[in-house]
Amino acid sequence: MIITERQAVIFKHSLFLLWLTLSLSICHLVEAKNKKPDWVVNYGQATEFPADRYLTGFGSAAGIDQQSQQVAQDNARADLSRQVVVKISNSISNQQQETETDLVQQFSSVTHSTSSLQVMGLKSEVYLDDHRKHPTAYALTYIRRTDLVRLYQREKERVQKEIGQLIRLAESNLEQKELALQYYFQTLPLFEKLTKSRMVLLSVGASSLLTQQEQESDDILLSQHEISDRIRQLAL
């Protein structure tokens, strides 16, 4: 088979077009692979996670090994928790100007340490930047606000119920001081859990301090302050 000069030119042109197409495809693949997510570029902010629908936290750590990834995720969770605590602190400052309630004081004591607030139900995304000189692990922690409200509303109701049961047991055993004290003491860590649930709900605008206090005063037979008084009286 004899190939004419024209056919040879067409063949070479076709090979060039094929090479060019493959080269462009490879470039696009490399670019897509190395493109950083919006939340990395914008330090935790992205159109995919709008602030009116999500709570987010951003973190990073040097390196891309498993330990670095874990540190980045821990930093992201801590960042989200700090944001929640800041919102609560602002609400407390406003409420303290109007009233000094037990609930406000409880919130104040818990917000003294952000490490005491571990938000439940969080999800995470991790991006690894394998830069030769500065490899870095990035993490985004997030949760939909509606999911957070639903989760903590259930937790609040569960803890309230457990506190109420323990108080009733203590009240029905006042003649046996040691047993009554045991039941009262068991409520104290539960009150802290209850306060944290209230804090998280408040941070997403699900309620206010005064509204919570009014609605929940009937759900628990005694307040934490009243239980402390009962413990002191029984310990005499």
Side-chain angles (χ1 to χ4, degrees), residues 14-219:
S14 299
L15 285 178
F16 174 75
L17 289 176
L18 178 61
W19 173 83
L20 182 62
T21 301
L22 290 173
S23 298
L24 289 174
S25 298
I26 292 172
C27 288
H28 285 311
L29 287 172
V30 172
E31 181 182 358
K33 179 180 179 181
N34 294 331
K35 183 179 179 182
K36 293 181 179 179
D38 287 345
W39 59 265
V40 174
V41 177
N42 299 318
Y43 301 99
Q45 298 182 4
T47 55
E48 185 181 355
F49 301 100
D52 62 333
R53 293 169 54 194
Y54 288 89
L55 288 180
T56 60
F58 178 76
S60 63
I64 57 175
D65 57 14
Q66 288 293 329
Q67 183 177 358
S68 298
Q69 295 178 46
Q70 185 60 53
V71 171
Q73 291 182 72
D74 290 343
N75 290 339
R77 283 190 286 268
D79 179 50
L80 189 149
S81 294
R82 278 193 296 270
Q83 294 178 53
V84 170
V85 170
V86 167
K87 292 178 181 178
I88 297 302
S89 297
N90 292 337
S91 296
I92 290 172
S93 297
N94 294 334
Q95 289 291 339
Q96 283 179 329
Q97 296 175 5
E98 302 175 8
T99 181
E100 279 292 337
T101 64
D102 288 341
L103 187 57
V104 171
Q105 294 171 4
Q106 291 168 27
F107 273 50
S108 299
S109 65
V110 174
T111 53
H112 284 164
S113 173
T114 58
S115 61
S116 67
L117 180 63
Q118 301 294 329
V119 180
M120 301 185 298
L122 299 179
K123 298 179 181 179
S124 296
E125 288 189 10
V126 175
Y127 173 79
L128 304 179
D129 185 352
D130 57 356
H131 190 281
R132 180 178 297 180
K133 291 185 178 180
H134 305 290
T136 306
Y138 297 94
L140 178 76
T141 295
Y142 62 93
I143 185 168
R144 191 183 293 269
R145 289 174 179 269
T146 52
D147 293 341
L148 189 71
V149 170
R150 184 164 51 249
L151 179 65
Y152 273 88
Q153 187 63 37
R154 286 201 302 262
E155 174 67 5
K156 182 170 71 71
E157 291 170 358
R158 182 193 68 80
V159 174
Q160 282 179 309
K161 183 177 180 180
E162 189 172 352
I163 291 174
Q165 291 173 342
L166 287 169
I167 290 175
R168 279 186 281 272
L169 286 170
E171 294 291 291
S172 62
N173 288 279
L174 289 177
E175 294 182 359
Q176 303 179 54
K177 287 188 176 182
E178 291 187 3
L179 185 58
L181 281 171
Q182 180 181 338
Y183 288 130
Y184 281 136
F185 274 119
Q186 288 179 33
T187 67
L188 299 182
L190 293 175
F191 270 106
E192 184 174 348
K193 286 185 178 181
L194 181 59
T195 300
K196 290 179 180 178
S197 293
R198 290 168 171 168
M199 286 175 60
V200 175
L201 289 170
L202 182 62
S203 73
V204 292
S207 58
S208 69
L209 287 174
L210 293 177
T211 300
Q212 284 196 41
Q213 190 180 38
E214 291 168 358
Q215 290 179 346
E216 294 167 3
S217 59
D218 295 332
D219 294 335

